[in-house]
Amino acid sequence: SSEGVQRDLLPIIEGSVVQTKYGNVSTDHMLFICSGAFHSSKPADMLAELQGRLPIRVELKALGVDELHRILTEPDQNMLRQQQA
């Protein structure tokens, strides 16, 4: 359920120590940018605790073919070049 996902995300966003294959990582001073998962949710659908930690909400337009092509090809270390290596 969406509420279950929110409850699982909350401790990570609030600041905790997460075990990874590279060792423990503290999330205390990390910036979280959440996109996609809640795009169809209204702010009222989110837990109050999560709303308080993600106070800015912005709606984005979908990428067009031209924008996606630029993202994949223009940066020096672009995804296409990395896949060819």
Side-chain angles (χ1 to χ4, degrees):
S1 79
S2 137
E3 185 174 332
V5 171
Q6 292 178 50
R7 292 218 179 274
D8 290 343
L9 286 173
L10 195 55
I12 298 169
I13 292 173
E14 286 180 327
S16 62
V17 176
V18 178
Q19 292 181 357
T20 71
K21 66 180 182 179
Y22 302 105
N24 293 337
V25 175
S26 171
T27 65
D28 289 341
H29 301 288
M30 287 188 179
L31 170 65
F32 288 92
I33 300 172
C34 303
S35 66
F38 305 109
H39 74 280
S40 61
S41 301
K42 300 178 197 104
D45 296 337
M46 295 177 68
L47 296 173
E49 299 94 332
L50 199 57
Q51 285 183 40
R53 276 138 188 101
L54 302 171
I56 299 171
R57 185 178 171 116
V58 192
E59 291 192 28
L60 304 174
K61 295 179 185 174
L63 289 175
V65 173
D66 292 336
E67 292 89 6
L68 184 57
H69 182 265
R70 287 185 60 206
I71 290 168
L72 292 173
T73 59
E74 285 185 13
D76 290 337
Q77 299 299 324
N78 68 62
M79 293 296 295
L80 296 178
R81 192 171 291 149
Q82 290 179 34
Q83 295 300 315
Q84 291 172 353

